[in-house]
């Protein structure tokens, strides 16, 4: 079973930057997809960005041009620039392939002045 652990959340002012990281442990099989999701208070969890094991990326429309996802075989990062108050949420890392769908515990990102 693959486990994932996030790090890097925190409090940042509007317009600032944060970098989230996630490390996967256990047996990794390809193909797989790693990604970031977020859940704001009172809202459903939504996808932010995903990246496949061959490097194919997808972004939610509101983060295009501001967020960049990258990865190697076991880690995935999310560089978040030009942060807005609407980006405030708990951010979750996800790893999935045919046999696994693993979630991290979440890391809080708060964008506020």
């Amino acid at each position: 079973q693959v486990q994932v652990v996030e790090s890097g959340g925190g409090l940042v002012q509007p317009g600032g930057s944060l970098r989230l990281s996630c490390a996967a442990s256990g047996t990794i099989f390809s193909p797989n997809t790693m990604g970031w999701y977020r859940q704001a208070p009172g809202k459903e969890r939504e996808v932010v960005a995903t990246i496949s094991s061959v490097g194919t990326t997808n972004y939610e429309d509101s983060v295009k041009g501001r967020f960049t996802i990258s990865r190697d075989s076991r880690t995935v990062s999310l560089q978040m620039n030009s942060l807005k108050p609407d980006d405030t949420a708990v951010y979750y890392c996800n790893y999935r392939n045919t046999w696994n769908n693993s979630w991290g515990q979440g890391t809080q990102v708060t964008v506020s002045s």
Side-chain angles (χ1 to χ4, degrees), residues 70-112:
S70 60
R71 68 172 290 175
D72 60 20
S73 60
R74 289 188 171 272
T75 65
V76 62
S77 297
L78 186 69
Q79 178 65 42
M80 304 185 292
N81 298 327
S82 303
L83 283 160
K84 305 175 181 179
D86 284 349
D87 295 318
T88 295
V90 178
Y91 284 69
Y92 296 91
C93 177
N94 176 259
Y95 167 93
R96 69 177 188 272
N97 67 4
T98 303
W99 304 279
N100 286 282
N101 185 22
S102 301
W103 294 92
Q105 80 285 356
T107 185
Q108 177 70 45
V109 171
T110 302
V111 185
S112 175

Side-chain angles (χ1 to χ4, degrees), residues 4-5 10 12 15-16 22 39 46 51 62 64 74 76 102-103 113:
V4 293
V5 178
V12 64
C22 172
Q39 187 167 17
E46 64 175 4
I51 184 166
S62 71
K64 287 179 179 178
R74 289 188 171 272
V76 62
S102 301
W103 294 92
S113 56

Side-chain angles (χ1 to χ4, degrees), residues 24-43:
S25 60
T27 303
I28 303 295
F29 291 100
S30 294
N32 62 71
T33 299
M34 298 187 76
W36 291 94
Y37 295 70
R38 65 187 179 188
Q39 187 167 17
K43 295 186 177 182

